[in-house]
């Protein structure tokens, strides 16, 4: 799959509530083909203390306008710097990186996202829509501002929300939502992205019902191209780089993610500061 390094023009920097914001970025030439779940590495300029590029899922792609959108949460210096970027500025971006989700023809699809980790699921839902599939989408967070862009998700799927404090949607974790608890067996494919604990719970529930489940890992990343080895995860086939062999994996292929061993894996998720 073709990777490019582009200087992307910032068309818009918009708040998505709380510490979340979206960047609408225009490419200088036709976009490469991007699969939902793939990510990009963004160079943070004008801060000598931020050396490494920052990895972000690709939130949306519009081939007609030649733009991509990133949904970012401010977590540290790099993301804080990016939050202040202005319309007309340029961002140096390497993309698309990694392997994305498998696009299924199954009509009954569930997307489960947590917090800002929900980002790649919007583009995933749009691609499913193009195939005539309207997925069910379940998103959650601690409180309302931790569940960004709910209205955008409602446009592309039957969207349900859970918040731990009950300020939006049902009260509790996404895995405690009535759709998850009572209707999971209705689905033929599950895709999930977000905090590792949430994804493991989703993966275990899917495995118990023998529903194929793909998870998008958020391990710490630096180079994004398989060189630094800081993103390695354990799979049934040995160690694999999340940045090149993932970030999307079949949950049954990951060590420590199955029903018997779910508590043994201690890989951190993305520390995207
Ligand atoms: S981020 Fe460097 S090898 Fe994966």
């Amino acid at each position: 799959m073709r990777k490019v390094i582009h200087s992307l023009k910032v068309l818009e920097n918009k708040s998505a509530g709380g510490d979340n914001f979206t960047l609408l970025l225009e490419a200088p030439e036709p976009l490469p083909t991007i699969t939902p779940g793939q990510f990009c590495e963004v160079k943070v300029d004008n801060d000598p203390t931020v050396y490494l590029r920052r990895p972000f899922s690709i939130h949306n792609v519009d081939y007609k306008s030649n733009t991509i959108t990133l949904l970012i949460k401010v977590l540290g210096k790099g993301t804080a710097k990016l939050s202040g970027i202005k319309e007309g500025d340029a961002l140096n971006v390497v993309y698309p990186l990694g392997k994305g989700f498998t696009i299924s023809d199954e009509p009954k699809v569930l997307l489960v996202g947590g917090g800002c980790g929900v980002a790649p699921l919007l583009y995933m839902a749009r691609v499913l829509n193009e195939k005539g599939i309207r997925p069910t989408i379940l998103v959650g967070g601690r409180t309302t501002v931790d569940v960004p862009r709910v209205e955008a998700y409602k446009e592309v799927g039957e969207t349900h929300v859970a918040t731990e404090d009950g300020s939006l949607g049902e009260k509790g974790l996404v895995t405690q939502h009535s759709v998850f608890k009572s209707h999971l067996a209705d689905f033929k494919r599950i895709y999930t992205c977000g905090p590792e604990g949430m994804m493991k719970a989703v993966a275990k529930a899917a495995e118990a019902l023998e529903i194929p489940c793909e998870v998008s890992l958020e391990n710490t990343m630096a180079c994004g191209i398989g060189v630094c080895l800081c993103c390695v995860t354990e799979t049934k086939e040995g160690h694999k780089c999340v940045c090149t062999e993932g970030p999307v994996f079949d949950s049954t292929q990951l060590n420590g993610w199955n029903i018997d061993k779910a508590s043994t894996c201690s890989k951190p998720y993305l520390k995207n500061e």
Side-chain angles (χ1 to χ4, degrees), residues 39 41 220-232 241-244:
F39 67 101
E41 288 267 4
T220 300
M221 289 189 198
C223 71
I225 53 172
V227 175
C228 71
L229 303 182
C230 75
C231 65
V232 166
C241 282
V242 171
C243 67
T244 52

Side-chain angles (χ1 to χ4, degrees), residues 81-98:
K81 194 77 186 175
L82 291 172
S83 71
I85 201 161
K86 300 277 187 301
E87 186 182 319
D89 287 348
L91 270 187
N92 185 285
V93 181
V94 185
Y95 70 110
L97 297 170

